[in-house]
Amino acid sequence: MLTWEEDVDAHALRRQGWTISAIARHLGRDRQTIRDYLNGAKTPGRRRQAPDAFAPFLEYCRQRLADDPHLWATTLFDEIIEMGYQGGYSTFTRALRRYYVRPHCEPCQTTQGRDVAIIAHPPGEEIQFDWLELPTPPEEWGGGEHAHLLVGALPHSGRWRAVLAERKDFAHLVQALDQVVRKLGGTARRWRFDRMSTVCYPSSGQVTAAFAAVAKFYGVGVDICPSRRGNHKGVVEKANHSAEQRWWRTVPDGLTVEQAQSGVDRLAAQMDGRRRILDGARTTVGEHADAEVLLEVPAIPFPVEVSVERTVTPQSLVSFEGNSCSVPPGLAGTRVLVRHRLGEDLTSSPPAARSSPATAGHRAGPGGP
């Protein structure tokens, strides 16, 4: 782009008989640039406007935010990237502000500017765990009004992983804990929880004997958040928010539990790419987490028994965590109890005979527990 002074000089030199090449050398510009300004194809001080890459997606974004005013910009960005948007995230957010796409929300304005506390977390010292209640799961899951996601986060690096669980009872908690620490690549020296009744006595915060056995099995200490004192699990709560906004809000009907689990796994791995600046050097959450020294996880999970009820199909099968278990013929439509002691075979038995020997047993497949 030529300045007005350069444009005046170029026209003056041209009238004096200078060639375009000579003018270009004199002004230190490209010959085509000089030619465009002399021909009036370009105007000094004005850059050529590139096509607005956001324009084709404007109406879609308006509709999405009208339907869900609190939808995260990152979630919406993920969606239009899949639709073919070529711009960057910062360009996208500027376009949202320029076009006033997001509806105004007065309650949200009052939450800005709150004081925050920075808590130091040594590497490999702690994993923060928390349950995330997921409303209105697909009916095919058969889990009722809520699905349950156990999220575990390393507060030093910010890496997190999560596991879907059918229930929040003790057995499902232990199963999910084991899977989360394996997804993280190891366990920190201490585990932090809020006052879950499956971990401690809520009134006193003292760890239960049952969970103490779990902690000793994995060789970790247990910290319980003090009553009525928040902000002790801020990293995992932020991870919960990310999982809810960027994954759960986009889960379509008809998705299986296994497919949904793959989706949250992809999101967690994607968020390892978040950029960080540490001691003046650029890095990512994933690189920072890889440098954390974690303890090895036992070769087999803690031997707790998980049990759920299932309905027998006309093919005399029951499904459980990606596996199919066969039962004797003639039980189609019957509710049976599927039992699985972590690290062992699957078993199933009719609810009326739960104390009797199992009617069938099958080893879990590679994708199962």
Side-chain angles (χ1 to χ4, degrees):
M1 181 183 71
L2 295 186
T3 64
W4 280 105
E5 291 81 1
E6 290 174 326
D7 182 62
V8 169
D9 288 345
H11 280 80
L13 293 173
R14 184 61 172 169
R15 294 192 63 175
Q16 296 171 21
W18 286 41
T19 65
I20 290 178
S21 296
I23 297 172
R25 287 193 299 270
H26 178 72
L27 297 178
R29 300 289 185 171
D30 181 75
R31 286 178 298 175
Q32 185 59 47
T33 300
I34 299 299
R35 185 177 290 108
D36 288 342
Y37 279 91
L38 292 176
N39 294 337
K42 292 183 178 180
T43 302
R46 183 182 301 171
R47 293 187 181 276
R48 179 182 297 176
Q49 294 294 324
D52 188 354
F54 178 75
F57 307 94
L58 175 59
E59 289 307 315
Y60 174 81
C61 293
R62 285 194 190 280
Q63 186 60 52
R64 286 288 281 123
L65 291 174
D67 295 339
D68 188 355
H70 298 97
L71 183 70
W72 275 15
T74 48
T75 306
L76 189 55
F77 179 70
D78 291 340
E79 293 180 7
I80 67 170
I81 282 291
E82 294 183 359
M83 297 168 60
Y85 178 68
Q86 299 294 323
Y89 180 71
S90 59
T91 303
F92 167 71
T93 54
R94 283 197 300 270
L96 291 181
R97 294 190 295 269
R98 183 172 70 252
Y99 290 107
Y100 299 97
V101 179
R102 187 182 296 278
H104 178 75
C105 179
E106 188 61 34
C108 290
Q109 303 302 313
T110 62
T111 63
Q112 299 179 2
R114 291 178 175 175
D115 293 336
V116 295
I118 304 299
I119 302 175
H121 297 286
E125 178 66 22
E126 178 180 281
I127 300 178
Q128 299 175 358
F129 290 101
D130 197 14
W131 283 112
L132 175 61
E133 296 290 324
L134 304 171
T136 60
E139 294 183 3
E140 295 83 356
W141 294 11
E145 297 181 355
H146 291 85
H148 312 289
L149 187 75
L150 184 73
V151 183
L154 294 166
H156 176 72
S157 61
R159 170 178 281 173
W160 61 271
R161 295 295 185 263
V163 171
L164 281 164
E166 189 164 335
R167 300 178 187 171
K168 293 170 57 178
D169 58 22
F170 178 78
H172 282 87
L173 170 65
V174 174
Q175 181 186 36
L177 284 170
D178 181 84
Q179 294 178 8
V180 167
V181 295
R182 294 182 193 278
K183 289 177 182 290
L184 287 171
T187 179
R189 291 181 284 275
R190 305 194 69 81
W191 292 353
R192 178 174 292 279
F193 301 88
D194 58 16
R195 300 201 168 200
M196 300 180 187
S197 60
T198 49
V199 175
C200 68
Y201 299 102
S203 59
S204 64
Q206 293 183 334
V207 177
T208 64
F211 196 80
V214 176
K216 288 190 287 186
F217 180 84
Y218 289 94
V220 299
V222 178
D223 294 320
I224 305 299
C225 290
S227 178
R228 297 183 178 87
R229 289 174 60 186
N231 301 327
H232 282 262
K233 297 194 291 76
V235 178
V236 72
E237 289 169 359
K238 183 64 175 179
N240 285 352
H241 202 183
S242 298
E244 181 179 20
Q245 291 283 342
R246 301 188 63 180
W247 166 68
W248 186 247
R249 284 175 180 258
T250 64
V251 171
D253 292 334
L255 209 65
T256 66
V257 175
E258 292 75 23
Q259 290 170 330
Q261 180 65 58
S262 296
V264 73
D265 287 342
R266 285 194 300 272
L267 173 63
Q270 175 186 340
M271 296 195 70
D272 280 356
R274 288 171 290 166
R275 298 174 183 174
R276 294 287 186 269
I277 298 180
L278 299 173
D279 300 326
R282 293 182 179 274
T283 184
T284 64
V285 167
E287 293 170 349
H288 196 34
D290 290 341
E292 287 196 70
V293 179
L294 301 178
L295 304 177
E296 290 188 5
V297 181
I300 60 173
F302 181 81
V304 67
E305 184 175 275
V306 177
S307 61
V308 294
E309 287 192 0
R310 291 289 187 268
T311 301
V312 180
T313 69
Q315 294 78 28
S316 296
L317 296 174
V318 291
S319 62
F320 179 70
E321 297 187 1
N323 297 276
S324 293
C325 306
S326 62
V327 298
L331 294 177
T334 303
R335 296 288 288 178
V336 299
L337 186 71
V338 180
R339 299 177 300 180
H340 174 227
R341 182 172 291 275
L342 301 187
E344 299 181 3
D345 292 347
L346 294 175
T347 60
S348 61
S349 61
R354 291 177 185 175
S355 60
S356 64
T359 59
H362 300 269
R363 187 170 300 279

